[in-house]
Each structure stands twice: as structure tokens, then as C-alpha cells.
């Protein structure tokens, strides 16, 4: 299975596994699954590292964090391309639940375009299933 990990899932996988439900953790541990992360999530992680001290206990720098994602956790970073932005431009946004986070929208568009199953804890993501999102919900 090809899985795109939302930013929150990577944070939980690296630093707070208690936040992952058993089914999601089993998927992450299954070596037959291919794990991916959007470059947009990497940008979010760098911002969180700089602003909130995310992961400073695990990693001495932002670069070390990126290296760990790729090497220790064996997660491939996918670039954001024009076709992802085209999907994003066509998406209907979940305004009923106040879902205004453009990073989330880019990550969702990435998953839809690449036909990847997205794993997230965000309760507003099921809205996007009708637009082609294949979603596995992490129930914390």
C-alpha cells in the first residue's frame, strides 16, 4: 500500500506514538507499505521546529530532522508539482467546519493527484472523500 502521511502522523510516529491508534501504527510498521510525505509537510515541520521547538530533543537541527524522516523512518519526500496545484485549485474547501489551512489543502491535493492513501488525525479530512481522497483516519 502507498501511504501519504499527514504532518501530525509523522510527528506522532517520531515523538509520541501513544497518539497513534493500533491499526495506523501497524500500517507504519509494515515493510510492504511505501511511506511518503509531501514537501508541504516538510515545510510545516521546519516551521514548527523553528517556532515551537518541535523535535529539538530528537534532532539537533532541521536538516537532521529531514534526514531522520528519510533514513530512520524510511519516508520518501514527494515534491509539490504543478499537477498538485491544479487539483488544489479545483477542490471544494470544507468551509462548514472552518477548514481554512492551505497546507492541509495542498497535502490533500497531493494525495488525490498521486492516488495515495492519506493517513491523518484531522477530523475535517473526511469531507474530501467525495473529491477522490482515500483516507485512513487515525483515531487518537
Amino acid at each position: 500500500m502507498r501511504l501519504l502521511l499527514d504532518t501530525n502522523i509523522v510527528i506522532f510516529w517520531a515523538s509520541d506514538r501513544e497518539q497513534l491508534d493500533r491499526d495506523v501504527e501497524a500500517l507504519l510498521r509494515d515493510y510492504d507499505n511505501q511511506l511518503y510525505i509531501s514537501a508541504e509537510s516538510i515545510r510545516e515541520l521546519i516551521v514548527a521546529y523553528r517556532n515551537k521547538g518541535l523535535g529539538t530533543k530528537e534532532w539537533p537541527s532541521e536538516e537532521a530532522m529531514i534526514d531522520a524522516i528519510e533514513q530512520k523512518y524510511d519516508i520518501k519526500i514527494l515534491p509539490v508539482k504543478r499537477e498538485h496545484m491544479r487539483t488544489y485549485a479545483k477542490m471544494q474547501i470544507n468551509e462548514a467546519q472552518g477548514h481554512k489551512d492551505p497546507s492541509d489543502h495542498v497535502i490533500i491535493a497531493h494525495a488525490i493527484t498521486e492516488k495515495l492513501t492519506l493517513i491523518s488525525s484531522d477530523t475535517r479530512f473526511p469531507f474530501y472523500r467525495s473529491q477522490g481522497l482515500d483516507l485512513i483516519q487515525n483515531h487518537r
Side-chain angles (χ1 to χ4, degrees):
M1 185 180 280
R2 297 172 357 120
L3 303 169
L4 183 65
L5 309 182
D6 191 13
T7 312
N8 59 68
I9 299 300
V10 174
I11 292 168
F12 298 153
W13 182 238
S15 62
D16 190 6
R17 293 200 180 172
E18 304 259 328
Q19 296 292 324
L20 296 172
D21 71 37
R22 282 188 227 153
D23 293 337
V24 167
E25 189 166 2
L27 288 169
L28 298 177
R29 290 184 181 278
D30 185 342
Y31 290 110
D32 289 333
N33 291 330
Q34 299 169 351
L35 306 180
Y36 299 95
I37 187 171
S38 173
E40 181 66 20
S41 288
I42 296 295
R43 187 196 62 76
E44 284 188 309
L45 289 167
I46 291 168
V47 169
Y49 187 99
R50 291 178 178 170
N51 294 341
K52 302 173 189 167
L54 169 74
T56 54
K57 293 179 182 173
E58 291 90 12
W59 306 298
S61 68
E62 296 95 324
E63 294 90 353
M65 178 180 61
I66 294 167
D67 291 343
I69 288 168
E70 291 182 302
Q71 296 164 13
K72 180 178 178 183
Y73 299 103
D74 198 26
I75 302 171
K76 182 177 180 183
I77 300 170
L78 298 177
V80 176
K81 298 179 182 175
R82 181 177 187 266
E83 55 264 30
H84 306 125
M85 292 295 102
R86 291 180 65 80
T87 300
Y88 175 30
K90 292 187 293 186
M91 283 172 44
Q92 179 184 1
I93 303 304
N94 185 359
E95 294 178 10
Q97 289 182 300
H99 191 213
K100 297 179 182 181
D101 186 336
S103 290
D104 284 351
H105 302 149
V106 170
I107 294 163
I108 291 165
H110 212 152
I112 292 169
T113 305
E114 297 294 331
K115 296 181 178 30
L116 298 168
T117 300
L118 179 61
I119 301 178
S120 180
S121 299
D122 196 311
T123 58
R124 296 167 297 187
F125 282 21
F127 171 87
Y128 300 94
R129 283 186 169 130
S130 65
Q131 298 177 63
L133 179 63
D134 185 10
L135 176 68
I136 294 173
Q137 194 76 40
N138 178 56
H139 301 284
R140 302 189 264 180

